[in-house]
Amino acid sequence: MQLAGAFLVLGCIAQVGVAKHHRHSIDGMVGLWGHSAHQRDVKRYLSNPVQATNFSDSESLRRLRANRAEDVRNGFRHAWKAYRKCAFGADEINPLTLEAVTTRNGWGATLIDALDTIHVMGLTEEFKEATEKVRTIDFDKNDGEPSKVFETNIRYIGGLISAYELSGDRMFLKQATALADVMLEAFDTSTGIPWQMWDVQTGTGSSETGPSTLNNLAEIGTYQLEFFRLSQLTRDPAYHKAAQRVYDVILDRNTPKKGTPYAVPGLYPVFLDIKTGRFIGGKPNLGGGSDSFYEYLIKTWALSDFKLQRCLDMWNESLRSIKKYLIARGSDKRLYMGVGDNEGLDSISDTFTCFFPGTLALAARLQNDNETLELAHSLLLTSYNTFARMPTHIGPENFGFLPDGDDDSDLLKSQRADIKKYGFYLDRPYYLLRPEAIESIFYFYRITGDEKYADWIWEIWQGIKANCAVDGGFAGLRDVRLGREGGLIGKQESFVFSETFKYIYLAFTSPDVLSLDEYVFSTEGHPFRRTSFNGTF
């Protein structure tokens, strides 16, 4: 799907099937209120640096950082060696049994997700070997199971794009384009909103739960970053148009109204029907099923050289409602993120929400908004606390809190005991090596230059090494209060290589390695280069 022409941007609803050889407006340049990005605003945003310039550069600190970075690199090598020996080319390795596991169509999720981390760590031979393996992958064939379109995008397409960005090897871009072309078929629906699942061999779509047309907010709104960058690199607007069409439809088909699933402007329910484009339920939140939708609003705006005004408008509208309805103070006086809307807040959260302080801090720096940066810091302290209060220095999958001033009589005895001991209670105490809290701490380190954040990440890394390291890499924990003694989980997803290792490692490299002023990180931790954009592909 190469295009030999440029493509200029409009704010109207795009038609996915428009002939690509004509000049058309690119979706998203016109904002929610009918205006485009003003040049003076763009210049102002471009002058706002994200990263700090006050990093300490003492000789002793340089040695400490280098030693810590090498320690993390050795941990990565340990996990990669087991994968290479026992499951090379497979989606995952079970770190306890050393068996190859197929979870993402057998295309090699770990192989591709790990590429940019391998490159950044300077593991030259490992990168060469992985490159040759990727060269042989045929995305027209799979394990016979439907592909989860969202996961295929963030792990495979995103991983291939960033491998190309860092290495310059066009084979990666060719493979990314080949897979994106296959996945683009999933967007060929009556609304342009993609199927949740897509069978590449039969060309049929479905929901994860069966033949229904259900999908969720994150899984329709986490293409915009990868598809925008792919359109830039290939000069083919089809990818960007398909991703922006999602915004067209949800804004056109849904009007906020009290008493309906979509009650608050910018606070979107979790579930919608791709056939109608309308939300059908699921309380708004910043956790799994919703998280990266909001993340991609601000990040796609930044990646577009601040030209996609609609993304910024949607982000600002959502943020106003998030501040008002989804954040509450707990009985420990910390600020928590919950689940709810104008009818009330459920005081439950998950580790996925821990991405938000970092993304919020990024947005604050991009817009030079110190008040929002202070809010982001308060939320970061809460996220970090879920790790710091555990004896393992590792946080749980889900946790809850008691809103400040509420009575605790509705809580279980164990929950009250947890709140008394930790300030929050553990709802699901297991840990699957997820990166979100580490990611947000990394952002604060790069944004402030304060070494305490790097120390926090080092503390968590020590906990991971002590409790999760096994012969096959790193395993999950059944209970973060008990650590290794509470039992291990034989699961090591590809994001451990693309995110968890990367963010830990980058906390100890030179700050100019993948600078936040030069790259935007995807929800899977893949860095995409920020380049100038004049409104044409």
Side-chain angles (χ1 to χ4, degrees):
M1 298 194 345
Q2 298 302 312
L3 180 72
F7 209 81
L8 194 65
V9 179
L10 252 200
C12 63
I13 295 178
Q15 298 301 316
V16 174
V18 170
K20 293 180 292 181
H21 58 276
H22 295 290
R23 279 180 76 89
H24 292 282
S25 303
I26 302 174
D27 308 78
M29 291 281 280
V30 175
L32 294 181
W33 297 282
H35 64 276
S36 300
H38 297 294
Q39 187 60 30
R40 65 178 181 274
D41 292 332
V42 171
K43 288 182 178 179
R44 175 165 55 87
Y45 296 135
L46 287 170
S47 68
N48 293 334
V50 176
Q51 287 209 165
T53 57
N54 61 332
F55 290 94
S56 176
D57 198 35
S58 68
E59 179 62 31
S60 61
L61 191 54
R62 283 201 300 269
R63 286 197 302 269
L64 177 64
R65 287 177 184 150
N67 289 337
R68 287 180 169 182
E70 185 60 23
D71 188 72
V72 179
R73 200 160 78 135
N74 287 338
F76 182 95
R77 278 197 190 110
H78 164 71
W80 188 256
K81 182 179 179 180
Y83 171 73
R84 179 182 175 277
K85 179 181 178 180
C86 302
F88 195 52
D91 291 336
E92 296 174 13
I93 180 176
N94 183 316
L96 299 181
T97 66
L98 304 182
E99 295 173 311
V101 183
T102 299
T103 56
R104 305 291 172 199
N105 299 111
W107 291 322
T110 292
L111 176 73
I112 292 176
D113 235 355
L115 286 167
D116 51 17
T117 306
I118 296 172
H119 192 278
V120 168
M121 287 184 172
L123 302 176
T124 306
E125 292 306 314
E126 289 87 344
F127 189 78
K128 286 181 180 178
E129 185 179 38
T131 297
E132 292 310 307
K133 191 70 173 177
V134 171
R135 201 182 304 276
T136 67
I137 298 173
D138 182 356
F139 291 114
D140 288 322
K141 300 176 181 178
N142 66 7
D143 65 339
E145 295 295 324
S147 303
K148 198 166 193 184
V149 186
F150 157 81
E151 298 286 2
T152 301
N153 176 57
I154 65 172
R155 300 188 195 224
Y156 287 114
I157 297 174
L160 290 164
I161 292 172
S162 63
Y164 168 67
E165 295 259 55
L166 296 179
S167 71
D169 188 332
R170 293 192 65 83
M171 179 275 294
F172 293 121
L173 182 59
K174 181 179 179 181
Q175 287 285 58
T177 305
L179 182 54
D181 287 350
V182 173
M183 289 299 111
L184 209 56
E185 297 174 13
F187 288 74
D188 188 14
T189 64
S190 58
T191 59
I193 296 178
W195 288 98
Q196 188 175 38
M197 310 295 293
W198 185 253
D199 192 317
V200 302
Q201 294 180 331
T202 65
T204 56
S206 63
S207 166
E208 191 172 25
T209 56
S212 76
T213 52
L214 184 74
N215 208 334
N216 66 57
L217 191 64
E219 295 190 39
I220 66 168
T222 312
Y223 300 95
Q224 289 70 18
L225 202 65
E226 289 85 355
F227 280 23
F228 175 84
R229 189 60 180 143
L230 190 59
S231 282
Q232 280 191 308
L233 294 170
T234 62
R235 301 184 61 80
D236 184 341
Y239 312 107
H240 173 70
K241 283 175 60 66
Q244 288 294 313
R245 169 72 173 170
V246 171
Y247 294 157
D248 295 337
V249 174
I250 64 173
L251 292 172
D252 182 63
R253 305 285 178 91
N254 298 275
T255 301
K257 182 180 179 181
K258 290 182 179 180
T260 69
Y262 182 34
V264 179
L267 213 56
Y268 302 104
V270 179
F271 300 108
L272 84 165
D273 187 337
I274 70 168
K275 184 184 293 185
T276 64
R278 294 189 177 92
F279 292 111
I280 57 178
K283 286 187 177 181
N285 66 87
L286 295 169
S290 299
D291 46 5
S292 49
F293 176 91
Y294 298 103
E295 177 186 3
Y296 271 33
L297 293 176
I298 195 67
K299 288 186 174 181
T300 303
W301 172 67
L303 192 65
S304 76
D305 204 26
F306 310 113
K307 301 299 197 312
L308 294 180
Q309 182 66 33
R310 180 170 62 178
C311 288
L312 178 61
D313 288 351
M314 290 175 70
W315 165 265
N316 285 332
E317 181 179 64
S318 292
L319 184 57
R320 285 192 292 271
S321 297
I322 287 168
K323 289 178 177 179
K324 186 173 183 179
Y325 295 110
L326 293 189
I327 297 173
R329 197 167 296 278
S331 57
D332 60 354
K333 309 306 178 184
R334 298 182 183 275
L335 286 180
Y336 287 85
M337 294 167 278
V339 176
D341 51 26
N342 60 321
E343 294 185 352
L345 186 72
D346 295 335
S347 53
I348 191 72
S349 196
D350 63 29
T351 192
F352 293 105
T353 65
C354 294
F355 91 93
F356 192 65
T359 296
L360 188 59
L362 172 66
R365 288 289 284 181
L366 289 169
Q367 299 182 80
N368 195 25
D369 181 352
N370 289 329
E371 182 179 340
T372 295
L373 187 60
E374 290 179 10
L375 172 62
H377 184 254
S378 295
L379 295 173
L380 177 76
L381 293 177
T382 303
S383 297
Y384 171 61
N385 190 57
T386 63
F387 279 66
R389 295 303 303 272
M390 296 297 106
T392 56
H393 300 295
I394 295 171
E397 179 82 355
N398 281 28
F399 53 92
F401 63 97
L402 180 67
D404 194 25
D406 279 14
D407 183 86
D408 67 359
S409 59
D410 290 336
L411 297 178
L412 299 174
K413 183 179 179 180
S414 61
Q415 293 173 334
R416 291 196 295 268
D418 274 353
I419 289 175
K420 184 176 180 180
K421 186 173 183 179
Y422 306 123
F424 58 92
Y425 67 85
L426 285 75
D427 183 55
R428 296 179 182 174
Y430 58 85
Y431 176 62
L432 294 175
L433 301 160
R434 296 198 192 278
E436 286 78 12
I438 299 167
E439 172 188 349
S440 280
I441 300 169
F442 160 76
Y443 272 96
F444 267 86
Y445 174 58
R446 286 290 185 88
I447 285 170
T448 67
D450 191 333
E451 290 296 326
K452 76 177 180 184
Y453 298 115
D455 290 339
W456 289 3
I457 290 177
W458 181 252
E459 180 183 83
I460 293 171
W461 170 237
Q462 297 309 297
I464 291 173
K465 283 199 303 179
N467 293 281
C468 303
V470 293
D471 289 345
F474 292 83
L477 297 178
R478 296 192 179 279
D479 194 320
V480 295
R481 294 164 295 192
L482 302 176
R484 189 182 294 270
E485 294 181 2
L488 298 173
I489 301 172
K491 189 69 173 172
Q492 183 181 246
E493 287 207 46
S494 64
F495 61 69
V496 177
F497 296 87
S498 67
E499 297 183 80
T500 308
F501 271 116
K502 185 183 289 105
Y503 288 125
I504 296 173
Y505 180 72
L506 289 175
F508 309 117
T509 64
S510 172
D512 61 3
V513 176
L514 299 182
S515 166
L516 296 180
D517 290 312
E518 298 175 2
Y519 290 89
V520 174
F521 286 86
S522 76
T523 195
E524 191 74 1
H526 296 305
F528 303 143
R529 187 178 293 277
R530 291 172 58 181
T531 60
S532 61
F533 177 59
N534 65 2
T536 62
F537 290 121

